[in-house]
Amino acid sequence: MKKHSILAFSTIVLLLGAITLITANSKKVYSKTAVNQTPTHKIGDAVEDFNLKNIDGGLVSLSGINADGAIIIFTCNHCPYAKAYESRVVALDKKYKALGYPVVAINPNNIGSNGEDGPDENKISAYEKGFTFPYLKDENQVVTNSFGAKRTPTAFVVKKENGKYILKYAGAIDDNSQSAESATKKYVEMAINELLIGKNVTITNTKSIGCGIMFKNV
């Protein structure tokens, strides 16, 4: 009996050790902390052009949208906060695309960290939710880090000036992540409305509320 007890105890210890090792290794591969904590783009800076794959397999660049500006939104498929904003993002595109500020959505999450954020899942989400804008995949996460995005959803408004896209706003889409009807400050709309009448953006930065972006460790 004593031998069986010792054998059972040893087995449990080995199993716990294996679980600890697997957990430790997984933490080495994936992280919710950005590789580059300091964003390249700050308010007033020219945003670097990007060229990312859309759901149809084609490449979409910022310079190729040929507009007065853009609403760049980092979002994803699995995050409940991102899902809560999907209809609002569609509404933003429908309202402002004709005014020169279309939406460009980017999924920044590492594919290996969540199976819901791969290219196929992007395509399904775009069709199911009726996206009227590009839904791009930032596979190497360089664009995500350059903007300093850390949560989904996070919005960035850029305006074209002298051939360059200048960052005018960064942060939350509005002030209520739970309900569009309860939002009292629609930050993205406020920023674009000011830009459309030639004014400087009054509120340039806000804190976005959402899920931490899943980054690859280098």
Side-chain angles (χ1 to χ4, degrees), residues 69-149:
I71 308 166
I72 301 167
I73 297 180
F74 290 87
T75 186
C76 68
N77 306 318
H78 80 277
C79 174
Y81 291 94
K83 289 182 178 180
Y85 273 101
E86 286 171 337
S87 60
R88 281 178 264 186
V89 174
V90 171
L92 281 173
D93 187 61
K94 288 182 177 179
K95 181 175 182 177
Y96 289 104
K97 180 185 290 183
L99 298 175
Y101 285 83
V103 165
V104 178
I106 300 175
N107 187 328
N109 279 335
N110 175 24
I111 299 172
S113 60
N114 193 300
E116 294 182 55
D117 285 316
D120 291 338
E121 289 70 27
N122 278 6
K123 187 180 297 185
I124 292 170
S125 290
Y127 286 132
E128 285 184 347
K129 305 301 179 181
F131 286 1
T132 54
F133 44 82
Y135 190 19
L136 314 179
K137 185 65 188 178
D138 186 16
E139 293 183 359
N140 60 19
Q141 301 180 315
V142 170
V143 177
T144 305
N145 273 302
S146 69
F147 276 91

Side-chain angles (χ1 to χ4, degrees), residues 10-125:
S10 299
T11 302
I12 292 171
V13 170
L14 288 172
L15 286 172
L16 288 173
I19 292 170
T20 301
L21 181 60
I22 291 170
T23 303
N25 286 337
S26 67
K27 287 182 179 178
K28 290 179 182 179
V29 178
Y30 306 122
S31 171
K32 289 187 179 181
T33 302
V35 175
N36 173 16
Q37 289 289 345
T38 304
T40 302
H41 307 314
K42 298 178 182 178
I43 300 299
D45 287 349
V47 172
E48 294 178 15
D49 198 10
F50 53 73
N51 204 32
L52 299 176
K53 190 175 291 186
N54 198 6
I55 57 172
D56 61 1
L59 295 175
V60 174
S61 64
L62 181 59
S63 59
I65 65 172
N66 192 27
D68 296 330
I71 308 166
I72 301 167
I73 297 180
F74 290 87
T75 186
C76 68
N77 306 318
H78 80 277
C79 174
Y81 291 94
K83 289 182 178 180
Y85 273 101
E86 286 171 337
S87 60
R88 281 178 264 186
V89 174
V90 171
L92 281 173
D93 187 61
K94 288 182 177 179
K95 181 175 182 177
Y96 289 104
K97 180 185 290 183
L99 298 175
Y101 285 83
V103 165
V104 178
I106 300 175
N107 187 328
N109 279 335
N110 175 24
I111 299 172
S113 60
N114 193 300
E116 294 182 55
D117 285 316
D120 291 338
E121 289 70 27
N122 278 6
K123 187 180 297 185
I124 292 170
S125 290

Side-chain angles (χ1 to χ4, degrees), residues 1-14:
M1 180 70 71
K2 192 175 289 186
K3 286 184 178 180
H4 288 301
S5 299
I6 293 172
L7 181 60
F9 178 75
S10 299
T11 302
I12 292 171
V13 170
L14 288 172

